[in-house]
């Protein structure tokens, strides 16, 4: 009986060691999964930062050139307005004289196709 009891004890101890090894393996697996997840998150963050940096560079290039274009257009517009204003002031008086002379100086004439009835 004692040998049987010792055999049972050995089986129980072997079962306990197997259970401990299994738990240890589960812990290592969980630890490795957490580590892999952290590595993946770090890699994703690094990739995201890299892509955002590239995007910002492209955006700066495009928006920078648009900013330059809008500044040029604004400058050209101001120059055109200034030219038109100076032209207006320069020609205003002569145009008013021409307009008033055309309106006020009327020379009544008969139309060349008018036939006088006798």
């Amino acid at each position: 009986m004692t040998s049987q009891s010792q055999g049972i004890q050995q089986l129980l101890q072997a079962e306990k060691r197997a259970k401990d090894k299994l738990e240890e393996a589960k812990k290592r697996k969980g630890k490795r999964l957490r580590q892999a997840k952290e590595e993946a998150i770090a890699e994703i963050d690094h990739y995201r930062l890299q892509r955002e940096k590239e995007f910002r560079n492209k955006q700066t290039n495009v928006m920078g050139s648009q900013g330059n274009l809008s500044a040029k257009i604004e400058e050209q517009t101001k120059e055109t307005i200034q030219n038109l204003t100076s032209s207006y002031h320069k020609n205003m008086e002569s145009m008013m004289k021409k307009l008033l002379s055309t309106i006020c100086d009327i020379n009544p004439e008969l139309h060349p196709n008018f036939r006088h009835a006798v």
Side-chain angles (χ1 to χ4, degrees), residues 4 13-14 25 39 73 95 107:
Q4 205 174 25
Q13 286 176 355
E39 288 174 0
I73 290 171
M95 284 306 295
N107 294 326

Side-chain angles (χ1 to χ4, degrees), residues 75-89:
E75 184 179 323
Q76 288 175 351
T77 304
K78 285 181 181 179
E79 186 177 322
T80 304
I81 289 173
Q82 188 177 16
N83 290 339
L84 289 173
T85 304
S86 67
S87 175
Y88 165 76
H89 288 298

Side-chain angles (χ1 to χ4, degrees), residues 26-114:
K26 284 182 181 179
K27 286 180 185 178
R28 281 188 304 223
K29 180 181 176 185
K31 184 178 178 182
R32 180 62 189 132
L33 284 173
R34 283 191 298 276
Q35 184 181 6
K37 185 176 180 181
E38 289 171 1
E39 288 174 0
I41 289 172
E43 190 174 332
I44 289 169
D45 289 341
H46 176 71
Y47 180 75
R48 182 180 297 129
L49 289 174
Q50 181 183 3
R51 296 300 287 180
E52 285 178 0
K53 184 178 178 183
E54 290 174 10
F55 174 73
R56 276 187 251 113
N57 287 338
K58 287 182 181 180
Q59 187 178 27
T60 303
N61 290 341
V62 170
M63 295 304 284
S65 64
Q66 285 181 352
N68 293 342
L69 287 176
S70 65
K72 284 182 181 179
I73 290 171
E74 188 173 328
E75 184 179 323
Q76 288 175 351
T77 304
K78 285 181 181 179
E79 186 177 322
T80 304
I81 289 173
Q82 188 177 16
N83 290 339
L84 289 173
T85 304
S86 67
S87 175
Y88 165 76
H89 288 298
K90 187 172 87 174
N91 297 321
M92 178 182 69
E93 193 166 329
S94 65
M95 284 306 295
M96 288 299 287
K97 285 181 182 178
K98 281 184 183 179
L99 183 65
L100 287 174
S101 71
T102 303
I103 291 172
C104 295
D105 296 339
I106 301 173
N107 294 326
E109 297 176 356
L110 289 177
H111 193 273
N113 292 336
F114 178 74

